[in-house]
Amino acid sequence: MSLTNLIIILVQAGILVNLMLMAAAYMVLAERKIAAWIQNRVGPDRVGPWGLFQSFSDVFKLYLKEDIVPAAADYRFHALAPVIAIAVAVTTFAIIPFSGPLVEIDGIKYGLVMAPNMNIGILAVLAMTSVGVYGVALAGWSSNNKYSLMGGLRSAAQMISYELSMGLAIIGVVLIAGSLNLIEIINVQTKGVWFIFLQPVGFILFFVTALAETNRAPFDLPEAEPELVGGYHTEYSGMKFGLLYLAEYANILASSAIMATLFLGGWDVIPFLDDSTILGLAPNSLPLVLLGHVVFLSKAFALVFVFIWIRWSLPRFRYDQLMNLGWKVLLPISLVNVILTGLGILFLQ
Amino acid sequence: METPNSRMFARLTDARGRLETGRTDMPQIIIDGRSIEATQGKTIIEAALDSGITIPHFCWHPALSVAGNCRMCLVNVGSHKKDTDGSLMYAADGTPIVSWIPKMQIACATPVADGMIVDTTSEKTVLAQNAVMEFLLVNHPLDCPICDEAGQCKLQEYAFLHSKGQSRFDEEKVHKEKRVELGPNVMFDGERCISCSRCIRFADEVAKQPVLSFVQRGDKVTIRTFPGTQFDSQYSMNVIDICPVGALTSIDFRFKARVWEMSFTDSVCPGCARGCNIKIGVMDNSVLRTEPRTNMHVNSYWMCDHGRLMAPSIVNEDRLSGPMIRSNGVLTASTWEEAISAVADSLKGLKGSQIAVIGSAHASNEDNYALARLASDVLQTSNLDYVKHNDHSFGDEVLRVNDVSPNAIGAHSVGLTPKSDGHGIDHMADRILRGDVKALIVMGEDLGSHSVALAEAAATVDTLIVLGTHNSVTAKQANILLPMNSWAESEGTFTNMLHRVQRFEAAVTTADTSRSMAQNKMSRWDKFGAPNDRWMQGVRRDCRLGWRIVAQVASALGVNWPYTSSSEVFQDLAKNVGAFSGMSYALLDAHQGLVLGKASSPEPAGVVYESHVMKPQ
Amino acid sequence: MANITSNTESQRLNFWEKLYLPEIARGLSLTLRQMFKPTFTRRYPEERWNPEGSYRGRPVLVLEEDGERCVACGLCSRVCPALAIEVRAAETQDDKERYPEKFEINMLRCIYCGFCEEVCPEEAIVMSKDYELVFGSQEEGIFGKDKLLVPVAQLQDRLEFLRQWR
């Protein structure tokens, strides 16, 4: 790897990370705005036009807040937990294929994707989300607070329980696409139909488990305010809290992007047909790639909207209900889904 | 004189002769179905009151003659109906058939007769009461919001209990003079007056100053003083209490507080040796007014104006707060610990004969007993006495007596008298000037009230220790000044000139006492106020109970007394002093005071009549 | 145990309800519809609300041309469940004989129940429309006569409401 290559990759990573964190910060604003609309309120509208700079103000506020570490906390892990959380959340974006490459320098193509054509792409995603639990569990444990610990434990149990169904939900897609490479999976959908139509049950399963994995309502038990104060981030303040908070939203965005990739055809514009022939643009031509970016992000953010919409519509599960759903409902369904998909492929091919 | 009443009385007497239902000296009557044994010669209202039944009334008062002009006490009176053969008649259900007197009778002027049946609750009686109330309210102004009587007003109370709650009177009410000063202390409002004549009869019969009278007739009737006179009797303010409405109000108290804003504590007037029972009205921890409390053994229903007006100022004015020690010739503030140890240090090296102790006829039995005990047990001095206060111009035939201290008998009884080898107060000045007395302890007393010589001599004593309530000359001369709770701030007992030991409760709190801890009477605001409420920030003087200061001095001198409350001091007193034996606060309360040496044979308590009840309590 | 009627969740729900998904969709559609409805809240300091006469804002004393109506009867103080009102009366040579020498409402204690207004025999204390109460200390929260007296002209809505409905 040349030095130019390295610099370019660093710049690329910088752009991506900042874009994603910005997106996560704006999702906080979106969350508040949508919550307000659903509750017939106005929502934040003080900072900037329509309150658009609210996110910056929030982040500045968090930077200026005192960073409080509880006296009895394990300060090393207390500091490490938010770093793990945000790092894992951001790393996931390295694998997500936003669209084709945008520029070519020294014969190497660069786009928003850090690691295109990673042949175990989807496994990497699963691996990353699994590591994500460490952040939450560590935060809960190191705070030395019963509520935080409870939140961390719940989170760990919940993530492990739902990871299983999530993995099985993906298997259907992988079986049909015949690849673990995310770009390959999108390419299959670009030429054919989106997998949401072939794998509707798989999509719903993945969506539900994604809600649980990202600790979103109605599965937000780890931070259930009425019982656990704030859950694992009770003892966090200032930018450490900010990092945990941003990591949550980054995870939502990552999950949405992966769902867009796996089930909604990634950057594909039209569900059942090949875009390039319909739009009359050469495959991987710059206009189509740019359009692809827009389409991909639109799909991802549409799913983010659904995440938020669900949060302000559905009440929280009870812990036993959560576990029942995960193990007794979702897991059997996902197993049946895998078997039926396998049988379908066996008989149709 | 033949009146309708006397004619009816004669008829009933005849009937009783024929009925032969019981003894003739104790007539049996039935009131509202209750059989009652009355005393011959009493009226129905008195007989009912003796049995705990209150018949509504305005003009009747047990200590005044019967006027019978308010008509509020109208009751249905009858007797058991007899058949032609003389046998008593009963209805089918076994209840007696009553032959009612066609017209209703006033209970205050109808004497009881054997076999009399009285009904105070039937429809007819209620209608009569309603009608009387309606007439009384025709011209009574609706200015309860302004009127000081509101909250303890008999008319207001009866308007709730015995009235229909609405008026059919559309015309304009009669206007009369609203602010007439009948005397220096009593304000008269003609519009509010319901012409019950209680004040007129009081002036005639009790105050013996017959200057009040009705003038005009009909609805123009009002009360005036005789031209050229004013109602300035020493007992004039009692008419304010007995006035059933707010027509007579106190010029001194006017508008200071609503009745319900004050707490009323049972106490004893410190003005003279009569020891009139009083209630102290307190708001925001300051005494606003006092009023008499019925005690038939002492003051019946009354108290004198001097006592009434003096009591608040005794508590509120010119008081000491915070202990002081004289250093370099100037009294400077100190802490209690410093002051008490300074007292102990100054007394330690002295022989008993070099110390003299002067108690007070103004202090309670408890304080004086503690002081006497300190003198005899701890200091071992024989020189102890108290100052007598006699004012020969003060006494009169009603209540006031020449001894203007409340507890001279008590101070004497608890042992504040010179021992055989000691010297009393009359020789004190000489002894001091001769240099025999090195330390003088004075409690609650201005020595100038005994003699100028003693006051001047006291200034020359090496150590003058003063336990004082007020900023008197003696207090200013003190070497060590220990502020003491006044009587209104302490729980304790006084012994009056009839040797009756009477208990008083603390009405005002000091830094030493707390309203809730001492279970003082509390108004709603006292109960629920918080320290940051402005009205709660009344004066709480830094003074202590007299016996507690004495006990602390004793403790500093190495003798510990286990007193934690006034009642414990009194228990000790009852145990050690023969005259008090058998007494306790509970017994004093139950019998409205006990006479020295006669705790085992108290007089019967009897029924206590209060003209109006304090509703807010 | 036999006569205990069980009423579990699964017994109460029908098949479609047990599936959850249709019900979730129903719930989501409800919130989605809410998003397009007009807002209830307003941009407060710019858009102010003018209450009706029935509104119970901070209690005030009615000020007539010839002084306050209050006669310092203390009924408001007595009825106040929060002990917010302190009244001290004094004598005046006017016809009404007494007036409030001191009238203080501790706005930190006041709970806006309106009992003072209801009990007032003179219609002298009424609930105003004033809902903007800001103070920087506990002491500032105690309103004296200077802040409480409001000219009768400004209170017409409330007085009209009281006349009509009380």
Side-chain angles (χ1 to χ4, degrees):
Chain A
M1 188 187 284
S2 67
L3 186 66
T4 342
N5 200 336
L6 184 68
I7 291 168
I8 288 169
I9 284 175
L10 284 177
V11 169
Q12 196 183 6
I15 291 171
L16 186 72
V17 166
N18 279 303
L19 273 181
M20 288 310 113
L21 286 182
M22 188 88 93
Y26 265 90
M27 276 162 66
V28 178
L29 176 63
E31 171 112 46
R32 292 173 63 181
K33 271 286 185 192
I34 290 167
W37 292 333
I38 286 177
Q39 294 165 352
N40 296 343
R41 291 188 285 114
V42 176
D45 69 338
R46 295 282 144 187
V47 192
W50 303 290
L52 277 179
F53 299 152
Q54 182 71 42
S55 307
F56 296 108
S57 128
D58 285 350
V59 172
F60 277 130
K61 183 197 77 176
L62 286 172
Y63 267 116
L64 296 174
K65 285 268 172 185
E66 185 189 354
D67 178 33
I68 300 164
V69 182
D74 187 326
Y75 66 93
R76 288 185 214 88
F77 290 119
H78 191 263
L80 187 62
V83 177
I84 294 180
I86 193 76
V88 168
V90 172
T91 311
T92 318
F93 288 110
I95 308 152
I96 288 163
F98 290 94
S99 187
L102 289 163
V103 288
E104 190 175 326
I105 300 166
D106 292 346
I108 302 170
K109 290 174 180 170
Y110 297 99
L112 260 183
V113 199
M114 296 291 297
N117 285 325
M118 188 190 263
N119 53 11
I120 54 153
I122 196 125
L123 289 183
V125 169
L126 284 178
M128 283 305 160
T129 50
S130 305
V131 177
V133 76
Y134 280 92
V136 174
L138 265 184
W141 177 78
S142 66
S143 294
N144 205 354
N145 169 325
K146 59 186 167 192
Y147 298 118
S148 300
L149 181 60
M150 205 68 101
L153 284 180
R154 280 187 183 187
S155 183
Q158 179 178 324
M159 284 192 175
I160 290 163
S161 305
Y162 280 73
E163 196 104 324
L164 223 57
S165 307
M166 185 183 237
L168 289 172
I170 295 170
I171 286 183
V173 173
V174 175
L175 281 176
I176 298 173
S179 169
L180 291 169
N181 186 333
L182 291 176
I183 289 181
E184 201 49 48
I185 291 173
I186 292 174
N187 282 336
V188 172
Q189 294 181 80
T190 312
K191 287 174 190 117
V193 290
W194 294 0
F195 286 155
I196 189 173
F197 301 108
L198 298 176
Q199 282 287 317
V201 177
F203 176 70
I204 291 168
L205 279 172
F206 192 90
F207 194 92
V208 172
T209 52
L211 284 174
E213 288 286 299
T214 51
N215 296 332
R216 289 290 294 185
F219 303 107
D220 55 347
L221 281 97
E223 46 192 286
E225 304 91 356
E227 30 193 305
L228 295 183
V229 189
Y232 59 87
H233 58 58
T234 303
E235 296 291 2
Y236 279 88
S237 61
M239 205 52 212
K240 282 186 195 156
F241 169 77
L243 287 180
L244 284 173
Y245 204 63
L246 280 180
E248 255 188 79
Y249 283 90
N251 277 330
I252 295 166
L253 187 55
S255 295
S256 303
I258 289 161
M259 266 186 278
T261 311
L262 295 182
F263 295 100
L264 298 180
W267 57 70
D268 190 20
V269 186
I270 301 153
F272 298 101
L273 301 161
D274 192 357
D275 301 341
S276 54
T277 46
I278 301 234
L279 299 169
L281 296 163
N284 288 334
S285 62
L286 194 63
L288 194 63
V289 169
L290 284 175
L291 183 64
H293 277 94
V294 173
V295 168
F296 185 91
L297 287 174
S298 306
K299 285 173 182 172
F301 282 117
L303 285 167
V304 166
F305 169 74
V306 177
F307 267 75
I308 294 169
W309 179 20
I310 284 176
R311 163 147 185 212
W312 297 102
S313 304
L314 301 181
R316 185 177 299 127
F317 273 81
R318 214 168 55 214
Y319 193 68
D320 62 318
Q321 291 171 331
L322 173 95
M323 282 296 159
N324 274 346
L325 183 71
W327 290 102
K328 294 186 184 169
V329 179
L330 296 183
L331 187 63
I333 291 177
S334 54
L335 283 170
V336 169
N337 186 43
V338 169
I339 293 165
L340 288 180
T341 311
L343 288 176
I345 290 169
L346 188 67
F347 289 115
L348 292 177
Q349 284 175 347
Chain B
M1 189 179 69
E2 182 135 298
T3 63
N5 281 344
S6 63
R7 275 202 302 276
M8 183 198 61
F9 185 59
R11 264 207 315 277
L12 286 164
T13 319
D14 291 350
R16 191 186 63 231
R18 287 201 302 276
L19 275 167
E20 296 177 64
T21 46
R23 296 160 299 174
T24 51
D25 56 331
M26 296 290 271
Q28 293 279 340
I29 63 166
I30 296 170
I31 301 179
D32 295 340
R34 258 179 71 187
S35 190
I36 283 163
E37 195 168 85
T39 313
Q40 182 69 45
K42 284 206 168 181
T43 56
I44 294 173
I45 202 167
E46 287 166 345
L49 190 72
D50 287 344
S51 326
I53 298 170
T54 307
I55 295 170
H57 61 276
F58 286 113
C59 68
W60 179 77
H61 190 282
L64 301 175
S65 61
V66 173
N69 59 359
C70 75
R71 316 309 289 178
M72 191 63 204
C73 61
L74 280 173
V75 288
N76 226 358
V77 179
S79 56
H80 202 151
K81 196 173 185 181
K82 287 190 299 296
D83 217 339
T84 43
D85 60 352
S87 61
L88 297 169
M89 288 172 75
Y90 290 92
D93 59 351
T95 51
I97 298 175
V98 183
S99 69
W100 298 108
I101 299 173
K103 281 192 140 185
M104 305 192 74
Q105 306 296 313
I106 47 173
C108 68
T110 309
V112 291
D114 203 22
M116 186 182 261
I117 296 173
V118 180
D119 162 69
T120 73
T121 51
S122 73
E123 197 184 353
K124 197 175 164 189
T125 321
V126 170
L127 274 175
Q129 287 166 345
N130 285 348
V132 170
M133 280 305 294
E134 194 168 5
F135 275 127
L136 289 176
L137 291 172
V138 158
N139 277 318
H140 191 84
L142 264 177
D143 61 356
C144 298
I146 293 164
C147 179
D148 262 346
E149 190 82 354
Q152 56 176 13
C153 175
K154 224 171 174 53
L155 188 68
Q156 209 177 33
E157 195 181 323
Y158 285 179
F160 278 105
L161 296 172
H162 306 296
S163 182
K164 288 201 156 162
Q166 50 192 309
S167 175
R168 289 179 286 172
F169 185 76
D170 294 334
E171 290 77 14
E172 186 161 349
K173 300 195 177 209
V174 173
H175 288 290
K176 299 177 191 169
E177 300 163 297
K178 277 192 82 73
R179 279 180 248 193
V180 186
E181 290 185 16
L182 293 183
N185 297 323
V186 183
M187 180 82 91
F188 175 66
D189 184 323
E191 291 184 0
R192 291 184 195 145
C193 178
I194 57 166
S195 309
C196 73
S197 80
R198 269 181 170 188
C199 50
I200 299 173
R201 282 174 285 147
F202 177 86
D204 292 358
E205 297 162 16
V206 181
K208 309 278 194 238
Q209 193 193 23
V211 292
L212 298 179
S213 174
F214 283 130
V215 294
Q216 305 279 26
R217 312 205 64 182
D219 62 6
K220 300 279 197 300
V221 71
T222 187
I223 291 172
R224 290 268 169 80
T225 49
F226 187 79
T229 64
Q230 58 172 348
F231 185 45
D232 55 1
S233 152
Q234 269 305 327
Y235 296 88
S236 67
M237 291 178 85
N238 287 299
V239 297
I240 298 159
D241 302 321
I242 57 171
C243 181
V245 293
L248 297 166
T249 51
S250 159
I251 291 174
D252 173 59
F253 176 76
R254 222 165 134 81
F255 303 153
K256 270 190 193 163
R258 305 321 307 261
V259 175
W260 56 81
E261 289 174 337
M262 291 180 282
S263 63
F264 287 93
T265 310
D266 289 357
S267 187
V268 174
C269 176
C272 77
R274 171 69 65 177
C276 293
N277 288 207
I278 58 168
K279 278 181 262 183
I280 304 181
V282 172
M283 183 175 74
D284 299 355
N285 206 34
S286 103
V287 177
L288 294 190
R289 75 178 197 200
T290 50
E291 54 188 67
R293 180 161 57 93
T294 308
N295 185 340
M296 298 314 287
H297 307 299
V298 181
N299 58 318
S300 65
Y301 311 94
W302 324 117
M303 72 184 291
C304 72
D305 291 2
H306 171 75
R308 199 188 286 256
L309 296 173
M310 171 210 63
S313 61
I314 280 195
V315 187
N316 296 342
E317 289 166 17
D318 203 25
R319 292 292 305 279
L320 297 171
S321 181
M324 290 179 134
I325 300 175
R326 190 174 294 277
S327 65
N328 302 328
V330 187
L331 273 178
T332 44
S334 74
T335 64
W336 279 97
E337 289 72 25
E338 285 165 14
I340 299 278
S341 62
V343 171
D345 292 345
S346 64
L347 294 174
K348 258 173 196 160
L350 299 176
K351 282 185 292 195
S353 60
Q354 291 175 311
I355 303 171
V357 174
I358 297 176
S360 173
H362 284 116
S364 66
N365 289 328
E366 286 77 359
D367 294 351
N368 281 329
Y369 171 68
L371 191 68
R373 221 187 134 184
L374 179 81
S376 55
D377 295 5
V378 184
L379 304 174
Q380 272 131 18
T381 176
S382 311
N383 314 325
L384 62 164
D385 207 345
Y386 66 95
V387 182
K388 296 184 182 67
H389 302 266
N390 282 314
D391 179 355
H392 295 287
S393 63
F394 189 78
D396 64 14
E397 298 86 60
V398 189
L399 293 172
R400 291 154 62 136
V401 293
N402 287 335
D403 180 357
V404 291
S405 60
N407 198 31
I409 304 282
H412 191 272
S413 317
V414 299
L416 267 182
T417 46
K419 302 264 173 63
S420 52
D421 57 337
H423 43 262
I425 189 136
D426 295 333
H427 308 292
M428 197 72 80
D430 293 346
R431 297 287 176 137
I432 292 167
L433 292 175
R434 227 190 290 161
D436 290 354
V437 176
K438 299 286 179 214
L440 177 61
I441 302 176
V442 181
M443 180 168 81
E445 204 57 80
D446 187 0
L447 294 177
S449 64
H450 177 265
S451 63
V452 180
L454 180 58
E456 282 170 358
T460 66
V461 175
D462 286 356
T463 314
L464 177 61
I465 299 158
V466 176
L467 286 71
T469 50
H470 289 76
N471 198 11
S472 63
V473 176
T474 306
K476 286 179 185 134
Q477 291 169 345
N479 292 101
I480 303 162
L481 182 58
L482 302 159
M484 188 173 104
N485 284 10
S486 74
W487 114 99
E489 290 146 348
S490 330
E491 191 182 19
T493 53
F494 283 152
T495 313
N496 77 351
M497 52 65 144
L498 302 167
H499 291 225
R500 176 174 284 270
V501 182
Q502 304 192 90
R503 189 165 100 86
F504 52 85
E505 293 167 41
V508 178
T509 55
T510 61
D512 192 27
T513 52
S514 122
R515 201 165 275 284
S516 56
M517 295 285 282
Q519 299 186 322
N520 288 11
K521 299 287 189 305
M522 291 197 277
S523 70
R524 177 174 179 252
W525 289 265
D526 293 330
K527 273 182 207 153
F528 301 116
N532 58 348
D533 286 317
R534 281 190 189 169
W535 74 82
M536 290 291 288
Q537 291 157 12
V539 182
R540 284 185 71 184
R541 296 174 193 89
D542 186 16
C543 39
R544 292 187 175 177
L545 292 160
W547 59 261
R548 184 166 290 161
I549 301 175
V550 173
Q552 280 162 351
V553 169
S555 167
L557 289 167
V559 181
N560 284 308
W561 295 338
Y563 301 146
T564 57
S565 67
S566 297
S567 74
E568 286 178 17
V569 183
F570 190 75
Q571 271 174 24
D572 202 28
L573 166 63
K575 204 171 69 188
N576 294 333
V577 178
F580 288 87
S581 74
M583 292 186 189
S584 70
Y585 279 2
L587 276 176
L588 292 179
D589 283 349
H591 296 99
Q592 292 198 308
L594 293 166
V595 176
L596 282 179
K598 292 184 186 166
S600 51
S601 55
E603 304 100 321
V607 174
V608 176
Y609 174 84
E610 297 277 352
S611 180
H612 41 63
V613 183
M614 302 287 181
K615 286 288 168 194
Q617 296 282 319
Chain C
M1 301 297 279
N3 54 2
I4 290 175
T5 51
S6 64
N7 182 20
T8 62
E9 200 174 63
S10 60
Q11 282 169 332
R12 282 199 301 274
L13 301 178
N14 66 26
F15 174 75
W16 291 106
E17 284 167 348
K18 277 186 213 169
L19 264 189
Y20 285 125
L21 289 177
E23 290 298 306
I24 288 173
R26 248 160 53 94
L28 288 174
S29 72
L30 177 80
T31 46
L32 190 67
R33 268 178 278 132
Q34 287 295 321
M35 288 180 72
F36 302 101
K37 288 189 176 166
T39 56
F40 285 153
T41 56
R42 67 188 74 215
R43 291 171 171 80
Y44 161 62
E46 295 90 19
E47 296 173 26
R48 274 161 204 276
W49 173 54
N50 187 31
E52 299 297 316
S54 60
Y55 183 75
R56 294 201 307 257
R58 80 175 171 98
V60 296
L61 293 174
V62 179
L63 178 68
E64 304 265 25
E65 287 83 32
D66 53 349
E68 73 270 277
R69 284 183 180 177
C70 179
V71 295
C73 72
L75 286 180
C76 46
S77 173
R78 174 65 187 85
V79 81
C80 181
L83 282 86
I85 306 178
E86 190 187 1
V87 190
R88 288 286 164 264
E91 188 154 8
T92 157
Q93 292 310 309
D94 295 350
D95 278 349
K96 68 177 190 180
E97 288 192 85
R98 62 193 274 164
Y99 77 104
E101 182 184 48
K102 169 173 154 190
F103 197 111
E104 285 183 350
I105 303 185
N106 186 342
M107 293 314 297
L108 291 160
R109 272 184 174 268
C110 178
I111 57 167
Y112 308 92
C113 63
F115 283 10
C116 47
E117 175 190 60
E118 205 171 311
V119 80
C120 184
E122 306 287 332
E123 210 170 66
I125 185 166
V126 295
M127 307 303 277
S128 69
K129 291 181 177 182
D130 188 357
Y131 52 83
E132 290 170 325
L133 287 161
V134 185
F135 15 81
S137 68
Q138 292 200 350
E139 279 299 299
E140 269 177 61
I142 300 172
F143 284 16
K145 268 171 81 177
D146 53 328
K147 286 184 188 156
L148 290 174
L149 284 169
V150 171
V152 65
Q154 293 176 24
L155 300 165
Q156 283 311 313
D157 280 2
R158 185 64 182 178
L159 293 171
E160 189 55 42
F161 170 82
L162 293 175
R163 244 154 252 158
Q164 202 178 345
W165 300 105
R166 188 163 79 168

